[in-house]
mmCIF file of all heavy atoms in Angstrom:
data_model
loop_
_atom_site.group_PDB
_atom_site.id
_atom_site.type_symbol
_atom_site.label_atom_id
_atom_site.label_comp_id
_atom_site.label_asym_id
_atom_site.label_seq_id
_atom_site.Cartn_x
_atom_site.Cartn_y
_atom_site.Cartn_z
ATOM 1 N N ALA L 79 -150.195 87.866 -34.438
ATOM 2 C CA ALA L 79 -148.861 88.249 -34.823
ATOM 3 C C ALA L 79 -148.111 88.964 -33.660
ATOM 4 O O ALA L 79 -146.919 88.812 -33.556
ATOM 5 C CB ALA L 79 -148.906 89.175 -36.049
ATOM 6 N N ARG L 80 -148.857 89.608 -32.819
ATOM 7 C CA ARG L 80 -148.204 90.283 -31.681
ATOM 8 C C ARG L 80 -147.531 89.193 -30.772
ATOM 9 O O ARG L 80 -146.385 89.379 -30.316
ATOM 10 C CB ARG L 80 -149.222 91.078 -30.898
ATOM 11 C CG ARG L 80 -148.620 91.834 -29.692
ATOM 12 C CD ARG L 80 -149.519 92.972 -29.226
ATOM 13 N NE ARG L 80 -149.718 93.944 -30.338
ATOM 14 C CZ ARG L 80 -150.909 94.296 -30.817
ATOM 15 N NH1 ARG L 80 -151.973 93.773 -30.339
ATOM 16 N NH2 ARG L 80 -150.973 95.212 -31.776
ATOM 17 N N ALA L 81 -148.270 88.103 -30.518
ATOM 18 C CA ALA L 81 -147.704 87.041 -29.694
ATOM 19 C C ALA L 81 -146.469 86.455 -30.372
ATOM 20 O O ALA L 81 -145.508 86.117 -29.717
ATOM 21 C CB ALA L 81 -148.729 85.955 -29.441
ATOM 22 N N LEU L 82 -146.533 86.357 -31.689
ATOM 23 C CA LEU L 82 -145.386 85.800 -32.464
ATOM 24 C C LEU L 82 -144.151 86.671 -32.290
ATOM 25 O O LEU L 82 -143.031 86.181 -32.123
ATOM 26 C CB LEU L 82 -145.753 85.654 -33.931
ATOM 27 C CG LEU L 82 -146.655 84.476 -34.269
ATOM 28 C CD1 LEU L 82 -147.022 84.491 -35.759
ATOM 29 C CD2 LEU L 82 -145.966 83.139 -33.946
ATOM 30 N N VAL L 83 -144.365 87.991 -32.370
ATOM 31 C CA VAL L 83 -143.196 88.909 -32.199
ATOM 32 C C VAL L 83 -142.627 88.759 -30.783
ATOM 33 O O VAL L 83 -141.405 88.624 -30.611
ATOM 34 C CB VAL L 83 -143.618 90.380 -32.446
ATOM 35 C CG1 VAL L 83 -142.474 91.313 -32.082
ATOM 36 C CG2 VAL L 83 -143.990 90.561 -33.914
ATOM 37 N N ARG L 84 -143.506 88.637 -29.799
ATOM 38 C CA ARG L 84 -143.011 88.479 -28.409
ATOM 39 C C ARG L 84 -142.264 87.193 -28.269
ATOM 40 O O ARG L 84 -141.212 87.142 -27.574
ATOM 41 C CB ARG L 84 -144.201 88.480 -27.446
ATOM 42 C CG ARG L 84 -144.877 89.827 -27.265
ATOM 43 C CD ARG L 84 -145.762 89.846 -26.022
ATOM 44 N NE ARG L 84 -146.470 91.086 -25.932
ATOM 45 C CZ ARG L 84 -147.808 91.228 -26.179
ATOM 46 N NH1 ARG L 84 -148.499 90.178 -26.490
ATOM 47 N NH2 ARG L 84 -148.370 92.406 -26.096
ATOM 48 N N ALA L 85 -142.746 86.108 -28.947
ATOM 49 C CA ALA L 85 -142.095 84.831 -28.768
ATOM 50 C C ALA L 85 -140.791 84.687 -29.556
ATOM 51 O O ALA L 85 -139.803 84.149 -29.093
ATOM 52 C CB ALA L 85 -143.047 83.700 -29.197
ATOM 53 N N LEU L 86 -140.800 85.213 -30.810
ATOM 54 C CA LEU L 86 -139.709 84.933 -31.714
ATOM 55 C C LEU L 86 -138.711 86.077 -31.806
ATOM 56 O O LEU L 86 -137.578 85.866 -32.222
ATOM 57 C CB LEU L 86 -140.268 84.625 -33.125
ATOM 58 C CG LEU L 86 -141.209 83.400 -33.190
ATOM 59 C CD1 LEU L 86 -141.730 83.201 -34.591
ATOM 60 C CD2 LEU L 86 -140.529 82.170 -32.676
ATOM 61 N N LEU L 87 -139.157 87.324 -31.495
ATOM 62 C CA LEU L 87 -138.233 88.459 -31.543
ATOM 63 C C LEU L 87 -138.283 89.164 -30.196
ATOM 64 O O LEU L 87 -138.788 90.317 -30.108
ATOM 65 C CB LEU L 87 -138.645 89.429 -32.693
ATOM 66 C CG LEU L 87 -138.663 88.821 -34.094
ATOM 67 C CD1 LEU L 87 -139.353 89.716 -35.096
ATOM 68 C CD2 LEU L 87 -137.238 88.554 -34.553
ATOM 69 N N PRO L 88 -137.787 88.527 -29.160
ATOM 70 C CA PRO L 88 -137.976 89.077 -27.800
ATOM 71 C C PRO L 88 -137.332 90.429 -27.560
ATOM 72 O O PRO L 88 -137.710 91.161 -26.663
ATOM 73 C CB PRO L 88 -137.342 87.998 -26.872
ATOM 74 C CG PRO L 88 -136.470 87.197 -27.782
ATOM 75 C CD PRO L 88 -137.044 87.273 -29.146
ATOM 76 N N ILE L 90 -137.489 92.967 -29.607
ATOM 77 C CA ILE L 90 -138.213 94.022 -30.356
ATOM 78 C C ILE L 90 -139.534 94.306 -29.696
ATOM 79 O O ILE L 90 -140.246 93.374 -29.262
ATOM 80 C CB ILE L 90 -138.418 93.574 -31.812
ATOM 81 C CG1 ILE L 90 -137.060 93.483 -32.535
ATOM 82 C CG2 ILE L 90 -139.404 94.494 -32.566
ATOM 83 C CD1 ILE L 90 -137.188 93.044 -33.965
ATOM 84 N N MET L 91 -139.904 95.571 -29.598
ATOM 85 C CA MET L 91 -141.245 95.987 -29.082
ATOM 86 C C MET L 91 -142.244 95.729 -30.185
ATOM 87 O O MET L 91 -142.076 96.199 -31.307
ATOM 88 C CB MET L 91 -141.186 97.449 -28.745
ATOM 89 C CG MET L 91 -142.507 97.995 -28.256
ATOM 90 S SD MET L 91 -142.936 97.407 -26.602
ATOM 91 C CE MET L 91 -141.993 98.615 -25.631
ATOM 92 N N PRO L 92 -143.297 94.924 -29.939
ATOM 93 C CA PRO L 92 -144.269 94.647 -30.996
ATOM 94 C C PRO L 92 -144.915 95.939 -31.535
ATOM 95 O O PRO L 92 -145.172 96.855 -30.766
ATOM 96 C CB PRO L 92 -145.338 93.789 -30.285
ATOM 97 C CG PRO L 92 -144.633 93.249 -29.063
ATOM 98 C CD PRO L 92 -143.619 94.226 -28.666
ATOM 99 N N CYS L 99 -146.864 94.072 -36.933
ATOM 100 C CA CYS L 99 -146.171 92.902 -36.333
ATOM 101 C C CYS L 99 -145.781 91.915 -37.450
ATOM 102 O O CYS L 99 -144.708 91.310 -37.403
ATOM 103 C CB CYS L 99 -147.084 92.226 -35.315
ATOM 104 S SG CYS L 99 -147.275 93.218 -33.792
ATOM 105 N N GLN L 102 -142.712 93.082 -39.023
ATOM 106 C CA GLN L 102 -141.551 92.829 -38.129
ATOM 107 C C GLN L 102 -141.086 91.354 -38.238
ATOM 108 O O GLN L 102 -139.911 91.096 -38.284
ATOM 109 C CB GLN L 102 -141.952 93.084 -36.648
ATOM 110 C CG GLN L 102 -142.097 94.603 -36.348
ATOM 111 C CD GLN L 102 -142.559 94.858 -34.931
ATOM 112 O OE1 GLN L 102 -143.456 94.144 -34.470
ATOM 113 N NE2 GLN L 102 -141.984 95.803 -34.291
ATOM 114 N N LEU L 103 -142.057 90.456 -38.318
ATOM 115 C CA LEU L 103 -141.674 89.023 -38.420
ATOM 116 C C LEU L 103 -140.964 88.767 -39.726
ATOM 117 O O LEU L 103 -139.955 88.090 -39.770
ATOM 118 C CB LEU L 103 -142.954 88.155 -38.345
ATOM 119 C CG LEU L 103 -143.634 88.081 -36.958
ATOM 120 C CD1 LEU L 103 -145.022 87.426 -37.092
ATOM 121 C CD2 LEU L 103 -142.768 87.273 -36.019
#
Side-chain angles (χ1 to χ4, degrees):
Chain L
R80 182 161 299 122
L82 284 175
V83 172
R84 289 194 185 107
L86 301 179
L87 300 168
I90 292 180
M91 177 73 84
C99 289
Q102 287 176 318
L103 289 168

